[in-house]
Amino acid sequence: MKWQNWSLHQRLIVSTFLTLAWITPTLAQTDKPLTRAEVYKLIPSVDLLLHNQTQRPAQRNDVIVPRDAVKTGVSSEAQLFFNDKSLIRVDQKTIFRFQPGYRRFNLPNRIALGEIIPNVENGRALILSPPGSVVTVVETPGSQIRILAADCANEPTPINTQNNPICKPAPKATAVMVAHHQESNTTQVFALTDGDINISDLQDKKTVALKGGQTVAIRNGIVGNPQEFDLPAFYKTISLASGLGPGQEKLLAQESTPVQETLKAIRLETLAALKNQAQRFRGFTRTFLSDALNGTEGDLNPRPGVSVRIINPQVVTGTYYKTSENTAVFYPDNNSNSPNNITIDFDQKTITIDGNTGVSNNAGLSGNNARGSVINANGQITQLEVIGVNGEQPQDNVGYRGTLTTGVRRGR
């Protein structure tokens, strides 16, 4: 997936409140910055923008603290390992900056005072937090993304004031990728784990929750609807998420022992999310197959059949990728080396499948799905269904489950 044309004039603010798993109560009472990160890995070119210092090339094991920043160039990546064992992978052409925070975290037998708010500007980042960390708020122009929000108790302690609440860390591991595209003023959130992941606008007029394998876009401050994306395809194509997908456990051996522990904890949740999405997809596929065999189109929501009916339908499941404004590719599960090329215009309601427009064709958003059909003069029909777009056009370069059905149109 390529993310280009990031602007330096707008920024994605990822507010990640990170606890300190190793500090002592004595250390927690000091005024020094308590949360920090080390540059664990880097692929040049990566620069450090240390607070009130001259920009310089980053080196492995460099330490960054509040108000410092990491800037990645083209084809570059930086991985930051925090002292609460959280790992943040910063993709190319991104600025990752720290800001100090104010909330407090109550850990077993100790109190951590060092909340910190990183800012991710002009790019994307994958945030991986094991149990015991608190990944709370992502702020972008016009949106708030709450990720396993902190449980702030009202305990009667001297420091538990309105401005400094005591918070409990999240008990589950979480993995979320967030990106902001300045040109379109769009934020895209990808949930890789199940859990308490909620996205809302700044006025809290609309809030949506994401499961693992779901994504949502926030355009110009307007929160869209959750859409399913294909988790197995995501792990095959997004290098930023390496080590989290099925069959990638050997990649963990390349990491240090502390990072291995973090990734193992994250993998328990990412693999569980994969299984849960597979169960959802099996339900979707059964619905599609049943509808196809009955000669009606499918949807995530039951509804009456429409006019296009198919005799002897041959249904192939697969993954749909929108590659540009009006082009897409469908990869069949049974032959991914022979994809179907799609040209589709939802505004004009037209579709071409493998260069064929037929004597008639039609495309549109249908309930929770996108649909298109091409009918030939002899009555042969090819029908595409894309699952879980929830009334919105599919996002570019995101894998969606779907079906491609061929057969003969009824009524010939």
Coordinates of all heavy atoms in Angstrom, one line a residue, residues 180-241:
H180 N -3.1 9.5 8.2 CA -3.8 10.7 7.8 C -3.3 11.2 6.4 O -2.1 11.3 6.2 CB -3.7 11.8 8.8 CG -4.4 13.1 8.5 ND1 -5.8 13.1 8.5 CD2 -4.0 14.3 8.0 CE1 -6.2 14.3 8.1 NE2 -5.2 15.0 7.8
H181 N -4.2 11.5 5.5 CA -3.8 11.9 4.2 C -4.3 13.4 4.1 O -5.5 13.7 4.0 CB -4.5 11.1 3.1 CG -4.1 11.4 1.7 ND1 -4.9 11.8 0.8 CD2 -2.9 11.3 1.1 CE1 -4.3 12.0 -0.4 NE2 -3.0 11.7 -0.2
Q182 N -3.3 14.3 4.0 CA -3.6 15.7 4.1 C -4.4 16.2 2.9 O -5.3 17.0 3.0 CB -2.3 16.5 4.2 CG -2.6 18.0 4.5 CD -2.7 18.8 3.2 OE1 -2.2 18.4 2.1 NE2 -3.3 20.0 3.2
E183 N -4.1 15.7 1.7 CA -4.7 16.2 0.5 C -6.2 16.1 0.5 O -6.9 16.9 0.1 CB -4.1 15.5 -0.8 CG -3.3 16.4 -1.7 CD -2.8 15.7 -2.9 OE1 -3.6 14.9 -3.5 OE2 -1.7 16.1 -3.4
S184 N -6.6 14.9 1.0 CA -8.1 14.7 1.0 C -8.6 14.9 2.4 O -9.8 14.7 2.6 CB -8.4 13.2 0.6 OG -7.7 12.3 1.5
N185 N -7.8 15.3 3.3 CA -8.2 15.5 4.7 C -8.9 14.3 5.3 O -10.0 14.4 5.8 CB -9.1 16.8 4.9 CG -9.2 17.2 6.3 OD1 -8.4 16.9 7.2 ND2 -10.3 17.9 6.6
T186 N -8.3 13.2 5.1 CA -8.9 11.9 5.4 C -8.0 11.1 6.4 O -6.8 11.0 6.2 CB -9.1 11.0 4.2 OG1 -10.0 11.7 3.3 CG2 -9.7 9.7 4.6
T187 N -8.6 10.7 7.5 CA -7.9 9.8 8.4 C -8.5 8.4 8.2 O -9.7 8.2 8.1 CB -8.1 10.2 9.9 OG1 -7.6 11.5 10.1 CG2 -7.5 9.2 10.8
Q188 N -7.6 7.4 8.2 CA -8.0 6.0 8.0 C -7.5 5.2 9.2 O -6.4 5.3 9.6 CB -7.5 5.4 6.8 CG -8.1 4.1 6.4 CD -9.5 4.3 5.7 OE1 -9.7 5.2 4.9 NE2 -10.4 3.4 5.9
V189 N -8.4 4.5 9.9 CA -8.1 3.7 11.1 C -8.3 2.2 10.7 O -9.4 1.8 10.2 CB -8.9 4.1 12.3 CG1 -8.5 3.3 13.5 CG2 -8.8 5.6 12.5
F190 N -7.3 1.4 11.0 CA -7.4 -0.1 10.8 C -7.3 -0.8 12.1 O -6.2 -0.7 12.8 CB -6.3 -0.6 9.8 CG -6.4 0.0 8.5 CD1 -5.8 1.3 8.2 CD2 -7.0 -0.6 7.4 CE1 -5.8 1.8 6.9 CE2 -7.1 -0.1 6.2 CZ -6.5 1.2 5.9
A191 N -8.3 -1.5 12.6 CA -8.2 -2.3 13.8 C -7.7 -3.7 13.5 O -8.3 -4.4 12.7 CB -9.6 -2.3 14.5
L192 N -6.6 -4.1 14.1 CA -6.1 -5.4 13.9 C -6.5 -6.4 15.1 O -6.2 -7.6 15.0 CB -4.6 -5.4 13.8 CG -4.0 -4.4 12.7 CD1 -2.5 -4.6 12.6 CD2 -4.7 -4.6 11.4
T193 N -7.0 -5.8 16.1 CA -7.4 -6.6 17.3 C -8.9 -6.2 17.7 O -9.3 -5.1 17.4 CB -6.5 -6.4 18.5 OG1 -6.5 -5.0 18.8 CG2 -5.1 -6.9 18.2
D194 N -9.6 -7.2 18.3 CA -10.9 -6.9 18.9 C -10.7 -6.1 20.2 O -9.7 -6.2 20.8 CB -11.7 -8.1 19.1 CG -12.0 -8.9 17.8 OD1 -12.3 -8.2 16.8 OD2 -11.9 -10.1 17.8
G195 N -11.7 -5.4 20.6 CA -11.6 -4.7 21.8 C -12.4 -3.4 21.8 O -13.2 -3.1 20.9
D196 N -12.1 -2.5 22.7 CA -12.7 -1.2 22.9 C -12.1 -0.2 22.0 O -11.2 0.6 22.5 CB -12.7 -0.8 24.4 CG -13.5 0.4 24.6 OD1 -14.3 0.9 23.7 OD2 -13.4 1.0 25.7
I197 N -12.4 -0.2 20.7 CA -11.8 0.8 19.8 C -13.0 1.6 19.2 O -13.8 1.1 18.5 CB -11.1 0.1 18.7 CG1 -9.9 -0.8 19.3 CG2 -10.5 1.1 17.7 CD1 -9.2 -1.6 18.3
N198 N -13.1 2.9 19.6 CA -14.2 3.7 19.2 C -13.7 5.0 18.5 O -12.7 5.6 18.9 CB -15.0 4.1 20.4 CG -15.6 2.9 21.1 OD1 -16.6 2.3 20.6 ND2 -15.1 2.5 22.3
I199 N -14.4 5.4 17.5 CA -14.0 6.5 16.7 C -15.2 7.5 16.7 O -16.4 7.1 16.5 CB -13.7 6.1 15.2 CG1 -12.4 5.3 15.2 CG2 -13.4 7.4 14.4 CD1 -12.6 3.8 15.4
S200 N -15.0 8.8 16.9 CA -16.0 9.8 16.9 C -15.5 11.1 16.3 O -14.3 11.3 16.2 CB -16.5 10.0 18.3 OG -15.5 10.6 19.2
D201 N -16.4 12.0 16.0 CA -16.0 13.3 15.6 C -15.8 14.1 16.8 O -16.0 13.7 18.0 CB -17.1 14.0 14.7 CG -18.5 14.0 15.4 OD1 -18.5 14.2 16.6 OD2 -19.5 13.8 14.7
L202 N -15.3 15.3 16.7 CA -14.9 16.1 17.8 C -16.1 16.6 18.7 O -15.9 16.9 19.8 CB -14.1 17.4 17.3 CG -12.8 17.1 16.7 CD1 -12.1 18.4 16.2 CD2 -11.8 16.4 17.7
Q203 N -17.3 16.6 18.1 CA -18.5 17.0 18.8 C -19.2 15.8 19.4 O -20.2 15.9 20.0 CB -19.4 17.7 17.9 CG -19.0 19.1 17.5 CD -17.9 19.0 16.4 OE1 -18.0 18.1 15.5 NE2 -17.0 19.9 16.4
D204 N -18.6 14.6 19.2 CA -19.2 13.3 19.7 C -20.6 13.1 19.1 O -21.5 12.5 19.8 CB -19.3 13.3 21.2 CG -17.9 12.9 21.8 OD1 -17.2 12.1 21.1 OD2 -17.6 13.4 22.9
K205 N -20.9 13.7 17.9 CA -22.2 13.5 17.3 C -22.4 12.1 16.8 O -23.5 11.5 16.7 CB -22.4 14.5 16.2 CG -22.5 15.9 16.7 CD -22.8 16.9 15.6 CE -22.9 18.3 16.0 NZ -23.1 19.3 14.9
K206 N -21.3 11.5 16.4 CA -21.3 10.1 15.8 C -20.1 9.3 16.3 O -19.0 9.8 16.2 CB -21.4 10.1 14.3 CG -21.4 8.7 13.7 CD -21.5 8.7 12.2 CE -21.5 7.3 11.6 NZ -21.6 7.2 10.2
T207 N -20.4 8.1 16.9 CA -19.3 7.3 17.3 C -19.6 5.9 16.7 O -20.7 5.4 16.7 CB -19.3 7.2 18.9 OG1 -19.1 8.5 19.4 CG2 -18.2 6.2 19.4
V208 N -18.5 5.3 16.2 CA -18.6 3.9 15.7 C -17.5 3.1 16.4 O -16.5 3.6 16.8 CB -18.4 3.9 14.2 CG1 -19.4 4.7 13.5 CG2 -17.0 4.3 13.8
A209 N -17.8 1.8 16.6 CA -16.8 0.9 17.2 C -16.3 -0.1 16.1 O -17.0 -0.5 15.2 CB -17.5 0.1 18.3
L210 N -15.0 -0.4 16.2 CA -14.4 -1.3 15.3 C -14.0 -2.6 15.9 O -13.6 -2.7 17.1 CB -13.1 -0.7 14.7 CG -13.2 0.6 13.9 CD1 -11.8 1.0 13.4 CD2 -14.2 0.4 12.8
K211 N -14.2 -3.7 15.1 CA -13.7 -5.0 15.5 C -12.4 -5.2 14.7 O -12.1 -4.5 13.7 CB -14.7 -6.1 15.1 CG -16.0 -6.0 15.9 CD -17.0 -7.1 15.4 CE -18.3 -7.0 16.0 NZ -19.3 -8.0 15.5
G212 N -11.6 -6.2 15.1 CA -10.4 -6.6 14.3 C -10.8 -6.9 12.9 O -11.7 -7.8 12.7
G213 N -10.1 -6.3 11.9 CA -10.5 -6.5 10.5 C -11.5 -5.5 10.0 O -12.0 -5.7 8.9
Q214 N -11.7 -4.5 10.7 CA -12.6 -3.4 10.3 C -11.8 -2.1 10.2 O -10.9 -1.8 11.0 CB -13.8 -3.2 11.2 CG -14.7 -4.4 11.1 CD -16.0 -4.2 12.0 OE1 -16.0 -3.5 12.9 NE2 -17.1 -4.9 11.6
T215 N -12.2 -1.3 9.3 CA -11.6 0.1 9.1 C -12.7 1.1 8.9 O -13.8 0.8 8.6 CB -10.7 0.0 7.8 OG1 -10.1 1.3 7.7 CG2 -11.5 -0.3 6.6
V216 N -12.3 2.3 9.2 CA -13.2 3.4 9.0 C -12.5 4.7 8.6 O -11.3 4.9 8.9 CB -14.0 3.8 10.3 CG1 -13.1 4.4 11.4 CG2 -15.2 4.7 10.1
A217 N -13.1 5.5 7.8 CA -12.5 6.7 7.3 C -13.2 7.9 7.9 O -14.4 7.9 8.1 CB -12.6 6.8 5.8
I218 N -12.4 8.9 8.2 CA -12.9 10.2 8.7 C -12.5 11.3 7.7 O -11.4 11.6 7.6 CB -12.4 10.6 10.1 CG1 -12.7 9.4 11.1 CG2 -13.0 11.9 10.6 CD1 -11.5 8.5 11.3
R219 N -13.5 11.8 7.0 CA -13.3 12.7 5.9 C -13.8 14.1 6.3 O -15.0 14.2 6.6 CB -13.9 12.3 4.6 CG -13.3 11.0 4.0 CD -13.9 10.7 2.6 NE -13.5 9.4 2.1 CZ -14.0 8.3 2.3 NH1 -15.1 8.2 3.1 NH2 -13.5 7.2 1.8
N220 N -12.9 15.1 6.4 CA -13.3 16.5 6.7 C -14.1 16.5 8.0 O -15.1 17.2 8.1 CB -14.2 17.1 5.6 CG -13.4 17.2 4.3 OD1 -12.2 17.6 4.3 ND2 -14.0 16.9 3.2
G221 N -13.7 15.6 9.0 CA -14.4 15.6 10.3 C -15.6 14.8 10.3 O -16.3 14.7 11.4
I222 N -16.0 14.1 9.2 CA -17.2 13.3 9.2 C -16.8 11.9 9.3 O -16.1 11.4 8.4 CB -18.1 13.6 8.0 CG1 -18.5 15.1 7.9 CG2 -19.3 12.7 7.9 CD1 -19.2 15.5 6.7
V223 N -17.3 11.2 10.3 CA -17.0 9.8 10.5 C -17.9 8.9 9.6 O -19.1 9.0 9.6 CB -17.2 9.4 12.0 CG1 -16.9 7.9 12.2 CG2 -16.4 10.2 12.9
G224 N -17.2 8.0 8.9 CA -17.9 7.1 8.0 C -18.4 5.9 8.7 O -18.5 5.8 10.0
N225 N -18.8 4.9 8.0 CA -19.3 3.6 8.5 C -18.1 2.6 8.5 O -17.3 2.6 7.6 CB -20.5 3.1 7.8 CG -21.7 4.0 7.9 OD1 -21.9 4.5 8.9 ND2 -22.3 4.2 6.8
P226 N -18.1 1.7 9.5 CA -17.1 0.6 9.5 C -17.2 -0.2 8.2 O -18.3 -0.5 7.7 CB -17.4 -0.2 10.7 CG -18.2 0.7 11.6 CD -19.0 1.6 10.7
Q227 N -16.0 -0.6 7.7 CA -16.0 -1.5 6.5 C -15.1 -2.7 6.9 O -14.1 -2.5 7.6 CB -15.5 -0.8 5.3 CG -16.3 0.4 4.9 CD -15.7 1.1 3.7 OE1 -14.5 1.1 3.5 NE2 -16.6 1.7 2.9
E228 N -15.4 -3.9 6.4 CA -14.5 -5.0 6.5 C -13.3 -4.9 5.6 O -13.5 -4.6 4.4 CB -15.3 -6.3 6.3 CG -16.4 -6.6 7.3 CD -15.8 -7.2 8.6 OE1 -14.7 -7.6 8.6 OE2 -16.6 -7.3 9.5
F229 N -12.1 -5.2 6.0 CA -11.0 -5.4 5.1 C -10.4 -6.8 5.4 O -10.6 -7.3 6.5 CB -9.9 -4.3 5.2 CG -9.2 -4.3 6.6 CD1 -8.0 -4.9 6.7 CD2 -9.7 -3.6 7.7 CE1 -7.2 -4.9 7.9 CE2 -9.0 -3.6 8.9 CZ -7.8 -4.2 9.0
D230 N -9.7 -7.3 4.4 CA -9.3 -8.7 4.5 C -8.0 -8.8 5.3 O -6.9 -8.4 4.9 CB -9.1 -9.2 3.1 CG -8.8 -10.7 3.1 OD1 -8.3 -11.3 4.0 OD2 -9.2 -11.4 2.1
L231 N -8.1 -9.3 6.6 CA -6.9 -9.4 7.4 C -5.8 -10.2 6.8 O -4.6 -9.8 6.9 CB -7.3 -9.9 8.8 CG -7.8 -8.8 9.8 CD1 -8.3 -9.5 11.1 CD2 -6.8 -7.8 10.1
P232 N -6.0 -11.4 6.3 CA -4.9 -12.2 5.8 C -4.2 -11.5 4.6 O -3.0 -11.5 4.5 CB -5.6 -13.5 5.3 CG -6.8 -13.6 6.1 CD -7.3 -12.2 6.4
A233 N -5.0 -10.8 3.8 CA -4.4 -10.0 2.7 C -3.6 -8.8 3.2 O -2.5 -8.5 2.7 CB -5.4 -9.5 1.7
F234 N -4.1 -8.2 4.3 CA -3.4 -7.1 4.9 C -2.0 -7.5 5.4 O -1.0 -6.8 5.1 CB -4.2 -6.6 6.1 CG -3.6 -5.4 6.9 CD1 -4.0 -4.2 6.5 CD2 -2.8 -5.7 7.9 CE1 -3.4 -3.1 7.2 CE2 -2.3 -4.6 8.6 CZ -2.6 -3.3 8.3
Y235 N -1.9 -8.7 6.1 CA -0.6 -9.1 6.6 C 0.3 -9.5 5.5 O 1.6 -9.5 5.7 CB -0.8 -10.3 7.6 CG -1.5 -9.8 8.9 CD1 -2.7 -10.4 9.3 CD2 -0.9 -8.8 9.6 CE1 -3.3 -9.9 10.5 CE2 -1.5 -8.4 10.8 CZ -2.7 -8.9 11.2 OH -3.3 -8.5 12.4
K236 N -0.2 -9.9 4.3 CA 0.7 -10.3 3.2 C 1.2 -9.0 2.5 O 2.3 -9.1 1.9 CB -0.1 -11.1 2.2 CG -0.4 -12.5 2.7 CD -1.2 -13.3 1.7 CE -1.6 -14.7 2.2 NZ -2.4 -15.4 1.2
T237 N 0.5 -7.9 2.6 CA 0.9 -6.8 1.8 C 1.5 -5.6 2.6 O 2.2 -4.7 2.0 CB -0.3 -6.2 1.0 OG1 -1.4 -6.0 1.9 CG2 -0.8 -7.3 0.0
I238 N 1.2 -5.5 3.9 CA 1.6 -4.4 4.7 C 2.8 -4.8 5.6 O 2.7 -5.5 6.6 CB 0.5 -3.9 5.6 CG1 -0.7 -3.5 4.8 CG2 1.0 -2.7 6.4 CD1 -0.5 -2.5 3.8
S239 N 4.0 -4.4 5.2 CA 5.2 -4.8 5.9 C 5.3 -4.2 7.3 O 6.0 -4.8 8.1 CB 6.5 -4.4 5.1 OG 6.5 -3.0 4.9
L240 N 4.6 -3.1 7.5 CA 4.6 -2.5 8.8 C 4.1 -3.5 9.9 O 4.4 -3.3 11.1 CB 3.8 -1.2 8.8 CG 4.2 -0.1 9.7 CD1 5.5 0.4 9.5 CD2 3.1 1.0 9.6
A241 N 3.2 -4.4 9.4 CA 2.6 -5.3 10.4 C 3.2 -6.7 10.4 O 2.6 -7.7 10.9 CB 1.1 -5.5 10.0

